[in-house]
Amino acid sequence: DFEVFCYRVNGESFFRDQLDDTKLEFTRVLCCHTQSAEKHRGNIKFQRYKNRYKERDTHFNSMNHSMNKVLVLVESPAKAKTIEKLLVSIDPSHHYLVLASFGHVCDMPQKTLGIDSRTLEITYEVKHDKRAVLKKIKDAATTASIIYLASDADREGESIAWHLSRQLKKHKSKMQRITFQEITLTALKHALSTPRQIDMPLVMAQQGRRAIDRIVGYKVSPLLWNAAEFKGVHVVIVTGK
């Protein structure tokens, strides 16, 4: 029977050698004996330590206000960790947090057309499976001094940046749009030195493509299918992007 030290973070347990003191801070420390822990599962007492450890995102939100906190929003979670490491090496004086939107956070309604027949204005709503992602982004944006919208440089990426800017509109003064074609130190340095505004013509191009898809899907497709069934013709509908 020997003593085991385990750190408790957001409901998960980590052994001491799994943590990095220089980057993480946590609040609660669990100390128990292996045998007693095995006998009394679910009834483990926590010993609180003052000013100790917390998880990365909480650490970002509770940092000293004198340090520049930079929030970078990308599309892919696979890219986020790599980009964060490179950004820290570029400027260690800033605390960078890179979060992924996992693609589009907003889209047209699923059960209605979502397009005003008179003005052709499109209605958007937050996607159900992105609500938790968006909440995490909004929480981080509250304490950030700079917010970089770093989604892809194509039409869809520009639209994602626009939707994120609308969801974070109260932080408009802190937002900047950056793009890069490769994840390298050189590309990131260039992107940070050349921020720009969101390219609205590109956003509108994406909206036009999305609206055509919706109109064809909701209005034209049923008519063609009915006509095809009546005449016994097989129809394949293709809409170009």
Side-chain angles (χ1 to χ4, degrees), residues 8-210:
R8 191 78 173 170
V9 185
N10 288 350
E12 297 184 23
S13 297
F14 298 87
F15 288 108
R16 179 64 189 82
D17 59 0
Q18 293 177 294
L19 304 176
D20 184 352
D21 281 345
T22 62
K23 294 182 179 178
L24 302 177
E25 293 189 358
F26 304 87
T27 50
R28 296 183 296 184
V29 178
L30 166 67
C31 300
C32 64
H33 288 82
T34 52
Q35 290 184 3
S36 59
E38 192 68 28
K39 292 177 182 178
H40 303 286
R41 284 186 181 181
N43 191 29
I44 300 173
K45 295 182 180 179
F46 291 98
Q47 183 178 358
R48 295 182 179 275
Y49 278 60
K50 237 181 179 184
N51 298 325
R52 291 289 285 174
Y53 304 100
K54 249 184 199 173
E55 199 219 358
R56 185 188 71 156
D57 296 345
T58 306
H59 173 56
F60 180 82
N61 292 334
S62 61
M63 285 173 55
N64 191 312
H65 288 288
S66 63
M67 188 174 189
N68 287 327
K69 294 177 283 185
V70 181
L71 175 63
V72 182
L73 302 178
V74 298
E75 292 182 42
S76 169
K79 298 177 183 178
K81 292 293 183 184
T82 304
I83 292 172
E84 189 171 289
K85 289 178 182 178
L86 290 174
L87 289 173
V88 171
S89 66
I90 291 173
D91 189 355
S93 66
H94 288 64
H95 184 89
Y96 289 94
L97 176 64
V98 182
L99 297 180
S101 68
F102 294 83
H104 285 276
V105 294
C106 297
D107 198 3
M108 301 171 72
Q110 291 186 346
K111 297 182 179 180
T112 60
L113 180 63
I115 302 174
D116 189 303
S117 59
R118 185 175 59 86
T119 64
L120 298 181
E121 184 178 354
I122 300 176
T123 300
Y124 290 102
E125 60 184 25
V126 176
K127 298 174 72 172
H128 181 75
D129 60 342
K130 297 298 176 65
R131 291 176 182 174
V133 173
L134 195 54
K135 183 183 183 304
K136 186 176 182 179
I137 289 173
K138 287 182 176 180
D139 289 345
T142 302
T143 57
S145 56
I146 305 173
I147 303 172
Y148 287 118
L149 305 173
S151 50
D152 294 350
D154 57 13
R155 185 169 52 194
E156 297 299 321
E158 205 69 22
S159 178
I160 291 170
W162 179 69
H163 282 298
L164 286 170
S165 70
R166 279 162 51 94
Q167 293 298 317
L168 302 172
K169 58 185 177 182
K170 68 178 181 180
H171 306 294
K172 184 178 180 180
S173 61
K174 301 189 289 186
M175 282 188 286
Q176 295 181 359
R177 175 79 168 113
I178 62 171
T179 57
F180 40 88
Q181 302 294 338
E182 57 184 12
I183 305 177
T184 61
L185 279 173
T186 302
L188 288 174
K189 285 180 180 179
H190 178 72
L192 292 172
S193 64
T194 56
R196 61 173 174 83
Q197 298 297 315
I198 293 174
D199 187 344
M200 286 310 299
L202 200 56
V203 173
M204 294 172 69
Q206 191 276 341
Q207 287 183 333
R209 199 258 329 153
R210 188 72 182 90

